[in-house]
Amino acid sequence: MHRIPLPLPNDGLRAVNVYAVQDGDGLVMVDSGWALEEAKDQLEAALGTLGKGFEDIRRFLVTHVHRDHFTMAVSLRRLFGHRIGLGLGEQPSLRHLMHAREDRNVADLRKWGASDVAELWIKVMHRADRGAEALRDYEEPDEWLERGVLELEHRRLEVVPTPGHTRGHVVFVDHAAKVLFSGDHVLPHITPSIGFEPLRPELPLGDYLDSLRLTRELPDLRLLPAHGPVTDSSHARVDELLDFHEQRLEEIGRAVAGTAFETARKIGWTRRQRRFDDLDMFNQVLAIGETAAHLDVLVDRGELTRTENAGVFEYTA
């Protein structure tokens, strides 16, 4: 198994890990990278060090529909005809990306009390070529993956749905090799965004916490994440993530201030505890959505009350 970091076009995460898994005389790829020429060239060079080329890839197994995991597979399939597998739970979001014009992020930001951020989002994101760009980068996979075992030529991979980061996220377990291809579900140094996707579910953080507990029930495996280094214990990191979110729930419960937007402005962000107003627009959108996800779990637990006023959700202790 070979970890291949590929570049990303932003200042936050610098690379996404894709994994080339040798299976017989060919390769199975777990995730694919962002469809960028620079990333394509680096992937080709990395495969070359293994004595392989794009034509040796038998299939792509993709953990979720986000652009940095899925779109390179689509681009290469157009040239080489590779098969692509994606979690069945991503079907509604993918079809929304490909065919719908409505940007649900705008409606979500408004109901979270962030109308000004929503207007800025519209100006930045709604370019004339937005629809064409979505159609160019996304296509349906060849197979929709559900929980079960994939029989490869010389390997068996268990597919485990882990909704939370996205509603159709899946991880892959090679029990013989004792490794977990965790995608963005379990990352070694950062916490994944929750619910930033075209069709946000009702309780994305609740889904994520349930998925972490499900992952904890698997054997303790070597963690092969989509961002960051390989680490030795999936259980240790899952425990840290569960503890982090419980602490974050307590913090947000203490800070609750009406809307998700108002609450997000009262708490610190990133490990540096940055002020909300110091974040760029994209990370402000993530922060508001993260805050809403935690507030809704507190409502579900009976610790907060949520009311709607003129289309805006307000939270009270």
Side-chain angles (χ1 to χ4, degrees):
M1 300 178 183
H2 307 273
R3 180 173 71 96
I4 305 173
L6 297 178
L8 298 175
N10 53 49
D11 294 329
L13 293 173
R14 298 301 179 92
V16 59
N17 297 324
V18 305
Y19 293 88
V21 180
Q22 292 182 288
D23 184 47
D25 59 359
L27 298 174
V28 173
M29 300 295 300
V30 177
D31 285 331
S32 71
W34 194 309
L36 305 167
E37 281 303 314
E38 179 186 4
K40 180 182 175 184
D41 291 344
Q42 288 195 25
L43 178 57
E44 185 174 30
L47 295 180
T49 67
L50 306 177
K52 302 292 185 182
F54 291 139
E55 66 279 2
D56 295 301
I57 299 173
R58 292 197 175 127
R59 69 202 297 185
F60 284 94
L61 300 175
V62 181
T63 58
H64 63 293
V65 78
H66 282 166
R67 189 179 296 269
D68 57 327
H69 297 256
F70 184 64
T71 57
M72 181 74 81
V74 172
S75 176
L76 291 176
R77 181 175 65 177
R78 292 168 181 163
L79 298 173
F80 298 96
H82 306 126
R83 291 183 61 79
I84 302 174
L86 182 69
L88 179 62
E90 299 289 48
Q91 188 177 80
S93 291
L94 180 59
R95 290 179 176 173
H96 182 91
L97 276 170
M98 292 172 58
H99 304 300
R101 296 181 179 180
E102 175 192 15
D103 188 338
R104 296 285 291 271
N105 288 302
V106 174
D108 285 342
L109 287 166
R110 287 173 175 158
K111 77 181 181 183
W112 296 330
S115 293
D116 290 345
V117 179
E119 293 306 312
L120 182 59
W121 180 267
I122 291 171
K123 291 178 182 177
V124 172
M125 301 300 291
H126 285 201
R127 303 185 304 275
D129 65 343
R130 181 67 173 167
E133 178 182 330
L135 288 172
R136 182 174 66 247
D137 289 347
Y138 288 97
E139 294 175 357
E140 295 217 6
D142 300 284
E143 55 185 331
W144 294 105
L145 304 175
E146 301 182 75
R147 180 151 197 177
V149 175
L150 290 174
E151 297 284 354
L152 307 181
E153 185 174 338
H154 294 290
R155 294 181 184 272
R156 304 174 82 244
L157 295 180
E158 182 183 2
V159 182
V160 183
T162 51
H165 177 61
T166 66
R167 62 197 301 159
H169 194 291
V170 297
V171 300
F172 302 100
V173 181
D174 185 329
H175 288 282
K178 299 181 179 179
V179 299
L180 171 68
F181 296 97
S182 64
D184 282 2
H185 174 54
V186 181
L187 300 173
H189 295 319
I190 60 175
T191 58
S193 63
I194 303 298
F196 183 71
E197 54 187 319
L199 297 177
R200 182 182 174 106
E202 185 68 24
L203 206 64
L205 179 60
D207 294 340
Y208 181 64
L209 296 176
D210 287 343
S211 294
L212 285 177
R213 296 183 188 104
L214 175 63
T215 308
R216 188 62 170 78
E217 293 174 1
L218 296 170
D220 194 11
L221 302 165
R222 196 169 193 207
L223 183 67
L224 276 56
H227 305 281
V230 171
T231 57
D232 288 335
S233 173
S234 58
H235 284 183
R237 184 54 180 156
V238 167
D239 290 343
E240 290 174 354
L241 288 167
L242 287 167
D243 289 344
F244 167 80
H245 281 289
E246 287 304 318
Q247 294 170 17
R248 197 64 162 164
L249 284 163
E250 291 181 14
E251 180 184 10
I252 289 175
R254 292 192 302 268
V256 63
T259 66
F261 173 61
E262 292 166 331
T263 304
R265 299 187 69 189
K266 291 184 63 177
I267 57 181
W269 293 97
T270 78
R271 285 174 289 183
R272 300 181 181 89
Q273 291 295 297
R274 297 176 63 191
R275 296 173 59 250
F276 176 89
D277 291 342
D278 293 335
L279 302 175
D280 60 42
M281 180 207 66
F282 180 74
N283 282 295
Q284 286 188 354
V285 171
L286 290 181
I288 297 164
E290 294 270 337
T291 304
H294 285 78
L295 290 168
D296 286 336
V297 164
L298 292 171
V299 171
D300 187 65
R301 292 181 177 183
E303 298 178 32
L304 296 180
T305 299
R306 188 181 76 185
T307 57
E308 186 174 344
N309 183 13
V312 176
F313 291 162
E314 295 183 354
Y315 299 84
T316 54

